[in-house]
């Protein structure tokens, strides 16, 4: 299933301004309840992670895949922004996936 994404600047601003925030060593997550019954995902990988676009895009693809594989276990109806920290490029995929699940679990965004 295709992941719905946040794309407009005002959507990102709304989540940053009114949303809750939490982080771990790999990610920072901002999230807010939306009106829809689906999640919308925004991913931010800054030049602090890598100056090379190839590496930043690879990190984005890894995050999207980890989210896609676990999407069924996440609660619906949220706008979510995931911000990658610098340490993400050294983290193996399995740890990245664990960190993502950890964030969702800690903020009660997992389905029971």
């Amino acid at each position: 299933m295709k992941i719905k994404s946040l794309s407009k600047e005002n959507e990102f601003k709304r989540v940053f301004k009114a949303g809750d925030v939490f982080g771990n060593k790999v990610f920072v997550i901002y999230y807010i309840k939306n009106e829809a019954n689906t999640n919308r995902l925004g991913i931010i990988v800054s030049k602090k992670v890598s100056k090379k676009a190839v590496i930043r895009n690879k990190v984005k693809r890894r995050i999207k895949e980890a989210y896609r594989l676990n999407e069924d276990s996440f609660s619906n109806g949220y706008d979510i922004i995931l911000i990658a920290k610098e340490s993400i490029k050294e983290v193996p995929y399995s740890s990245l996936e664990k960190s993502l699940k950890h964030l969702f679990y800690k903020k009660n965004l997992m389905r029971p």
Side-chain angles (χ1 to χ4, degrees):
M1 190 162 110
K2 184 162 171 63
I3 298 172
K4 296 195 189 292
S5 62
L6 296 171
S7 56
K8 297 188 170 112
E9 183 181 357
N10 63 345
E11 294 171 343
F12 275 86
K13 282 183 178 177
R14 184 177 70 86
V15 177
F16 281 130
K17 188 172 184 179
D20 293 326
V21 63
F22 186 70
N24 60 19
K25 67 177 186 162
V26 180
F27 295 110
V28 175
I29 184 174
Y30 286 83
Y31 64 97
I32 191 169
K33 194 88 170 134
N34 67 21
E35 299 80 36
N37 195 26
T38 59
N39 288 341
R40 295 188 304 167
L41 183 67
I43 299 172
I44 298 174
V45 182
S46 73
K47 286 188 179 178
K48 287 181 183 177
V49 172
S50 175
K51 300 266 188 242
K52 297 181 179 182
V54 173
I55 294 172
R56 292 194 308 271
N57 289 334
K58 180 181 178 183
V59 168
K60 284 182 198 174
R61 285 194 309 270
R62 291 171 74 201
I63 294 169
K64 276 185 199 169
E65 184 65 8
Y67 178 84
R68 186 187 69 81
L69 291 174
N70 295 288
E71 190 172 18
D72 293 338
S73 62
F74 300 150
S75 298
N76 286 332
Y78 289 93
D79 288 342
I80 301 162
I81 298 175
L82 289 171
I83 302 174
K85 290 187 175 179
E86 287 182 66
S87 62
I88 197 165
K89 58 185 174 187
E90 287 91 31
V91 173
Y93 177 78
S94 59
S95 296
L96 182 143
E97 193 172 11
K98 246 184 242 177
S99 286
L100 185 65
K101 285 182 188 175
H102 174 259
L103 281 177
F104 279 79
Y105 174 76
K106 281 292 197 182
K107 294 319 264 174
N108 296 320
L109 296 174
M110 298 286 271
R111 287 190 180 152

